[in-house]
């Protein structure tokens, strides 16, 4: 009976020990399964939407809408809201009057006004190349030549949002600086129709305000911003960034 009691107690002890030894294994298995499921969930999230319908239902479509609003705000707000509120730095028009009554103008502002048909890069061409050319190039590279086909919509979304926000901020800052600086254009006298008899601009307020917005250059800032976004995107695609 003593042997039976000792054998039963030893078997029960072995059973409890086996249960205790198996418990950490169960914890490890559950933690490993949960971590693998979280990795799978993260991988599924970073892969992005599979088709256009899932993209529209996701938060990415709302994010793209916010980027479009920021782009339009930066494009339209300076001239429509900021300029009437803060105005333009109205520098005095430079000229000198001699004792004989002659008026001497600043030669740096007396450049001839270039006719519209002789302009090499018009504002329409600038917007077409700097904005829509950049956007179209980003969409072509991201949708037709994606690094991973499962991520092409996410790649296109990231590239498009970067371009829209960058261009909107560029236009906003450029126009704000234009209003603050108020630098004359090289063809200011002819652009505003400066009359030496009255010593005032005769071509109207709009032409005079346009002649006071020389610096910084809107053509340079827009083209530089658009091409910079495209260049950085391509550098990232070829793993040089």
């Amino acid at each position: 009976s003593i042997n039976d009691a000792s054998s039963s107690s030893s078997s029960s002890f072995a059973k409890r020990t086996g249960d205790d030894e198996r418990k950490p294994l169960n914890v490890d298995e559950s933690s490993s399964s949960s971590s693998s499921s979280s990795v799978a969930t993260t991988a599924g999230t970073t892969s992005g939407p599979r088709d256009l319908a899932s993209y529209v239902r996701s938060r990415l479509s709302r994010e793209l809408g916010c980027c479009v609003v920021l782009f339009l705000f930066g494009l339209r707000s300076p001239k429509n809201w900021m300029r009437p509120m803060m105005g333009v730095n109205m520098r005095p028009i430079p000229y000198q009057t001699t004792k004989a009554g002659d008026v001497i103008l600043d030669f740096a502002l007396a450049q001839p006004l270039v006719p519209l048909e002789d302009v090499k890069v018009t504002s329409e061409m600038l917007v077409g190349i700097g904005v829509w050319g950049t956007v179209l190039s980003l969409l072509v590279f991201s949708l037709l030549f994606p690094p991973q086909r499962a991520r092409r919509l996410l790649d296109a979304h990231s590239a498009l949002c970067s371009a829209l926000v960058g261009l909107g901020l560029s236009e906003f800052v450029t126009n704000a600086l234009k209003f603050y600086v108020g630098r004359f254009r090289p063809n200011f006298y002819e652009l505003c129709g400066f009359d030496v008899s009255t010593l005032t601009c005769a071509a109207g307020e709009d032409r005079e305000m346009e002649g006071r917005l020389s610096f910084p250059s809107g053509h340079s800032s827009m083209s530089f911003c658009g091409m910079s976004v495209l260049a950085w995107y391509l550098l990232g695609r070829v793993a040089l960034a």
Side-chain angles (χ1 to χ4, degrees):
S1 61
I2 296 174
N3 293 333
D4 294 339
S6 61
S7 62
S8 62
S9 61
S10 62
S11 63
S12 62
F13 175 76
K15 184 177 180 181
R16 288 196 303 271
T17 306
D19 293 339
D20 294 339
E21 290 176 352
R22 283 194 295 270
K23 284 181 180 179
L25 295 177
N26 293 334
V27 172
D28 293 341
E29 290 174 359
S30 62
S31 61
S32 63
S33 62
S34 62
S35 62
S36 62
S37 63
S38 63
V39 171
T41 304
T42 304
T45 303
T46 56
S47 62
R50 298 287 180 174
D51 52 16
L52 189 59
S54 60
Y55 175 82
V56 172
R57 291 193 301 268
S58 68
R59 65 174 180 82
L60 297 179
S61 60
R62 297 187 293 273
E63 188 176 288
L64 179 62
C66 294
C67 294
V68 172
V69 170
L70 286 175
F71 169 72
L72 295 177
F73 177 80
L75 205 65
R76 299 296 183 184
S77 64
K79 292 185 178 180
N80 294 336
W81 301 316
M82 186 184 298
R83 177 174 161 182
M85 291 177 59
M86 64 179 294
V88 179
N89 185 8
M90 300 296 290
R91 297 168 179 258
I93 299 175
Y95 63 86
Q96 285 184 342
T97 305
T98 64
K99 292 182 179 181
D102 297 327
V103 177
I104 302 175
L105 302 178
D106 188 349
F107 293 158
L109 307 179
Q111 302 298 321
L113 185 64
V114 179
L116 186 60
E117 57 271 12
D118 294 337
V119 175
K120 301 300 181 183
V121 180
T122 62
S123 299
E124 291 76 13
M125 291 177 60
L126 171 68
V127 174
I129 297 173
V131 177
W132 305 121
T134 299
V135 170
L136 182 61
S137 300
L138 291 172
L139 291 178
V140 167
F141 280 110
S142 58
L143 293 177
L144 299 184
F145 307 100
Q148 299 176 10
R149 188 164 184 83
R151 290 174 52 89
R152 63 174 185 171
L153 287 178
L154 182 60
D155 191 42
H157 168 82
S158 302
L160 187 57
C161 280
S162 299
L164 291 176
V165 174
L167 289 167
L169 287 176
S170 173
E171 281 298 291
F172 184 85
V173 173
T174 299
N175 284 287
L177 289 176
K178 280 178 177 287
F179 302 150
Y180 177 77
V181 175
R183 182 175 178 177
F184 296 110
R185 295 186 183 275
N187 53 9
F188 173 77
Y189 293 124
E190 190 169 350
L191 183 63
C192 79
F194 187 73
D195 190 353
V196 294
S197 61
T198 60
L199 301 179
T200 57
C201 292
E205 183 181 358
D206 292 338
R207 295 285 295 271
E208 181 181 356
M209 291 299 106
E210 183 63 27
R212 294 176 178 271
L213 303 177
S214 177
F215 178 85
S217 172
H219 285 67
S220 300
S221 62
M222 179 178 286
S223 56
F224 184 83
C225 179
M227 294 299 107
S228 294
V229 172
L230 181 59
W232 281 113
Y233 175 79
L234 295 177
L235 284 174
R237 288 291 302 273
V238 299
L240 290 180

